[in-house]
Amino acid sequence: NAGVTQTPKFQVLKTGQSMTLQCAQDMNHEYMSWYRQDPGMGLRLIHYSVGAGITDQGEVPNGYNVSRSTTEDFPLRLLSAAPSQTSVYFCASSSNGLSRYRETQYFGPGTRLLVL
Amino acid sequence: EDQVTQSPEALRLQEGESSSLNCSYTVSGLRGLFWYRQDPGKGPEFLFTLYSAGEEKEKERLKATLTKKESFLHITAPKPEDSATYLCAVQEGGDYKLSFGAGTTVTVRA
């Protein structure tokens, strides 16, 4: 198993450009999410999905779009990049379920984004 | 208002010098408290999940404990390879979402 994979590892954008950050997992996990990590602020949830075709907003959704057409993939789209979106982006996944001992979230290696 | 606060922000230890990291939380109806380790340039790596006050879990030199308002991560006789940022996160009620603290960066000198 590759676990959670993210591409690209690093990207530089100009203000106003668009791009898609890719995330894939091969563990058949229902739940997937996107976080951004900024110095001194911890990880903040952008969007999440509890299964194919179902997405919802997290704490900081503005400027980002997501879709979930398959269980494996959960891409994050920046429609018009802004310098405030310079950050490190992490994708995570876990098995679904409301049981108390459900599996924890596993994180990808991250995408470092610089918006000029 | 922050739901999860970690202290200290940074901790410098001598090899073998035991210490503790604190994670305080304000959520009601805690579903789970998670500890992760993050190395520079990498994604968070899962360490422990704690579900109820009084629970303890251990892994090598790390031991996590939980009370009704906070969790501690104890590092016993640390080694340089324990240097990392340790993240705490909480899950509330019936929610899938995790709320993270800002982390504690631990540096262990040989």
Side-chain angles (χ1 to χ4, degrees), chain B residues 96-107:
Chain B
Y96 295 105
K97 295 176 286 187
L98 294 179
S99 296
F100 280 86
T104 295
T105 299
V106 175
T107 304

Side-chain angles (χ1 to χ4, degrees), chain A residues 70-93:
Chain A
T70 67
T71 299
E72 295 78 19
D73 301 296
F74 190 43
L76 179 71
R77 298 183 187 85
L78 284 70
L79 299 179
S80 180
S84 61
Q85 294 178 305
T86 293
S87 187
V88 182
Y89 292 86
F90 290 100
C91 179
S93 75

Side-chain angles (χ1 to χ4, degrees), chain A residues 37 96 100 102 104-105 112, chain B residues 36 38 41 51 91 96:
Chain A
Q37 187 174 38
N96 199 10
R100 184 183 187 191
R102 76 171 183 80
T104 192
Q105 293 188 36
R112 284 144 188 80
Chain B
Y36 286 84
Q38 186 174 26
Y51 294 101
Q91 191 178 40
Y96 295 105

Side-chain angles (χ1 to χ4, degrees), chain A residues 31-47:
Chain A
Y31 180 78
M32 296 185 74
S33 54
W34 277 102
Y35 294 85
R36 60 178 289 172
Q37 187 174 38
D38 302 292
M41 299 189 71
L43 286 152
R44 292 182 292 168
L45 183 65
I46 305 172
H47 285 285

Side-chain angles (χ1 to χ4, degrees), chain B residues 13-65:
Chain B
L13 301 172
Q14 200 66 34
E15 184 172 5
E17 177 188 4
S18 301
S19 189
S20 296
L21 285 56
N22 178 265
C23 172
S24 62
Y25 60 93
T26 57
V27 298
S28 58
L30 180 71
R31 179 174 173 80
L33 186 141
F34 300 77
W35 282 99
Y36 286 84
R37 169 192 171 123
Q38 186 174 26
D39 293 306
K42 296 190 176 181
E45 176 186 348
F46 171 71
L47 291 173
F48 306 108
T49 309
L50 302 168
Y51 294 101
S52 56
E55 190 173 359
E56 299 181 351
K57 289 192 177 175
E58 290 187 65
K59 180 180 180 180
E60 296 181 354
R61 295 174 293 281
L62 301 177
K63 179 180 178 180
T65 62

Side-chain angles (χ1 to χ4, degrees), chain A residues 22-36:
Chain A
Q22 302 292 343
C23 174
Q25 51 90 12
D26 60 359
M27 298 174 282
N28 201 31
H29 284 167
E30 296 91 343
Y31 180 78
M32 296 185 74
S33 54
W34 277 102
Y35 294 85
R36 60 178 289 172

Side-chain angles (χ1 to χ4, degrees), chain A residues 60-77:
Chain A
V60 287
N62 292 341
Y64 308 95
N65 280 350
V66 292
S67 61
R68 183 95 179 269
S69 57
T70 67
T71 299
E72 295 78 19
D73 301 296
F74 190 43
L76 179 71
R77 298 183 187 85

